[in-house]
Amino acid sequence: MHRAIALYSGGLDSLLSIIIVIQQGIEVIAIKFLTGFTSPLKESDLEYARQFGFEIKEINIKEKFIEILKNPAHGYRKNLNPCIDCKILMLKEAKEKLSEFNASFVITGEVLSQRPMSQKREILKLIEKQATLKDLILRPLSAKILPPTKPEIQGVVNRELLYDIYGRTRKPQIDLAKKFGIEKPPQPAGGCLLTDPSFCRRVKDLMQHDELTVENVELLKIGRHFRISEKCKAIVGRDEEENKILLSKGAFIYPSDMKGPVVFLIGQYSAKDIDTAASICAFYSKRKEVVIKLPQEKIKIYDATTKEEIVKYRV
């Protein structure tokens, strides 16, 4: 029995590619790489694995991805997503797992020219070369319009049972999903936060202040964010769940009656920074003034800041 490793994004294209290969009697181990900017495995992913008979694993590459994000060799796409460098990193990681999983090639859900920057023919060749996986990356959805790979040449994979999908149209994939019995097809891609302009503003703020770490990236996903000073940033909880998360990390400021947001301070903060954060807390508590508890300090009363000041500090 032959075995392959698949890059699994959680999107429709990678799922279809896995099914196409499984139908040729090849075992597939799907890997979901956790970068810190993509979602972890969901219950629907596990359901697909059970339905179509493939193994699925998560591998953490957050630290390595952070280093790439700081200075990607091939630059960013529209926002802050280093798509080419990201794919090279994942393929290199997959290559290292080939012997561990007794697999002989790698599958991806890439479609030729679906994405104008990262899925051009010459870019696919560049990625293959830099990942040192020459002729070992099978792209089942576009394989018939790409050069034959080693598993095809060796007869492990029947090229005639692969596809020739090209460009940005989604109809062939939707038709395949119906053919394979996928009742609720996932979105085209797994989703990366680095394509979201508002989230990217937060990431850029961390980069500009030399605060880009795995822990700080996780905090970007919750709350409202405010750059109070060059060395201090405040995160304001938006609901009870976010307040609990911030409290678990050592929240610094919150209303004494707990009827309002928790504010967590990151970095080095001065007395002035504390005053500013407390005023922001008062603003979001929807009171003209609010009693704020400060650790190791007596209770103080702060006037709520203005909407203009909120806009000034908001990241």
Side-chain angles (χ1 to χ4, degrees), residues 118-183:
S118 61
Q119 293 184 0
K120 292 180 179 179
R121 194 179 296 269
E122 61 270 24
I123 297 299
L124 296 183
K125 289 181 180 178
L126 171 70
I127 290 171
E128 180 179 304
K129 180 180 180 180
Q130 296 205 356
T132 61
L133 278 167
K134 181 173 173 55
D135 298 331
L136 290 177
I137 302 174
L138 179 68
R139 300 174 172 96
L141 293 175
S142 292
K144 282 188 174 180
I145 49 175
L146 292 170
T149 59
K150 189 174 180 180
E152 294 168 82
I153 294 169
Q154 293 178 339
V156 174
V157 173
N158 185 345
R159 185 175 175 86
E160 294 305 311
L161 300 178
L162 303 177
Y163 292 82
D164 57 358
I165 300 173
Y166 177 91
R168 301 176 70 91
T169 179
R170 302 298 302 166
K171 188 178 185 304
Q173 288 93 315
I174 298 301
D175 290 343
L176 270 179
K178 291 178 181 178
K179 176 183 175 181
F180 294 150
I182 302 173
E183 295 181 1

Side-chain angles (χ1 to χ4, degrees), residues 72-281:
H74 300 285
Y76 304 106
R77 300 283 70 80
K78 186 176 180 180
N79 293 295
L80 267 183
N81 43 325
C83 292
I84 296 175
D85 295 273
C86 177
K87 184 56 65 71
I88 292 169
L89 171 63
M90 290 181 179
L91 286 167
K92 284 182 175 179
E93 293 292 314
K95 181 184 178 182
E96 291 185 4
K97 296 294 181 181
L98 286 174
S99 59
E100 179 182 337
F101 296 146
N102 194 28
S104 57
F105 62 99
V106 178
I107 305 164
T108 80
E110 292 164 304
V111 171
L112 185 62
S113 293
Q114 184 181 81
R115 296 178 183 173
M117 294 298 290
S118 61
Q119 293 184 0
K120 292 180 179 179
R121 194 179 296 269
E122 61 270 24
I123 297 299
L124 296 183
K125 289 181 180 178
L126 171 70
I127 290 171
E128 180 179 304
K129 180 180 180 180
Q130 296 205 356
T132 61
L133 278 167
K134 181 173 173 55
D135 298 331
L136 290 177
I137 302 174
L138 179 68
R139 300 174 172 96
L141 293 175
S142 292
K144 282 188 174 180
I145 49 175
L146 292 170
T149 59
K150 189 174 180 180
E152 294 168 82
I153 294 169
Q154 293 178 339
V156 174
V157 173
N158 185 345
R159 185 175 175 86
E160 294 305 311
L161 300 178
L162 303 177
Y163 292 82
D164 57 358
I165 300 173
Y166 177 91
R168 301 176 70 91
T169 179
R170 302 298 302 166
K171 188 178 185 304
Q173 288 93 315
I174 298 301
D175 290 343
L176 270 179
K178 291 178 181 178
K179 176 183 175 181
F180 294 150
I182 302 173
E183 295 181 1
K184 295 181 180 179
Q187 293 298 312
C192 176
L193 289 170
L194 291 172
T195 63
D196 180 343
S198 60
F199 190 84
C200 286
R201 285 197 298 272
R202 295 183 177 187
V203 178
K204 285 179 180 178
D205 175 74
L206 290 184
M207 294 171 74
Q208 289 166 358
H209 293 87
D210 197 25
E211 296 172 357
L212 189 62
T213 65
V214 170
E215 182 179 5
N216 284 345
V217 166
E218 290 302 312
L219 287 172
L220 292 185
K221 301 171 187 177
I222 63 171
R224 304 175 180 92
H225 290 243
F226 300 87
R227 176 61 59 180
I228 294 176
S229 65
E230 281 298 307
K231 295 184 178 181
C232 178
K233 178 181 173 183
I235 303 177
V236 181
R238 294 172 294 191
D239 53 38
E240 184 177 357
E241 183 178 350
E242 290 187 348
N243 283 346
K244 286 180 179 179
I245 294 172
L246 294 175
L247 279 170
S248 72
K249 295 182 176 299
F252 202 88
I253 300 169
Y254 52 93
S256 61
D257 60 4
M258 295 302 292
K259 293 181 179 179
V262 166
V263 180
F264 178 61
L265 294 184
I266 297 175
Q268 301 174 22
Y269 34 82
S270 64
K272 181 181 178 182
D273 295 332
I274 292 172
D275 289 346
T276 301
S279 295
I280 291 172
C281 184

Side-chain angles (χ1 to χ4, degrees), residues 8 28-32 41 45-46 49 54-58:
Y8 182 73
V28 175
I29 298 175
I31 297 178
K32 172 82 171 186
L41 289 172
D45 299 315
L46 303 179
F54 61 91
E55 192 174 346
I56 192 166
K57 298 176 179 290
E58 287 181 331

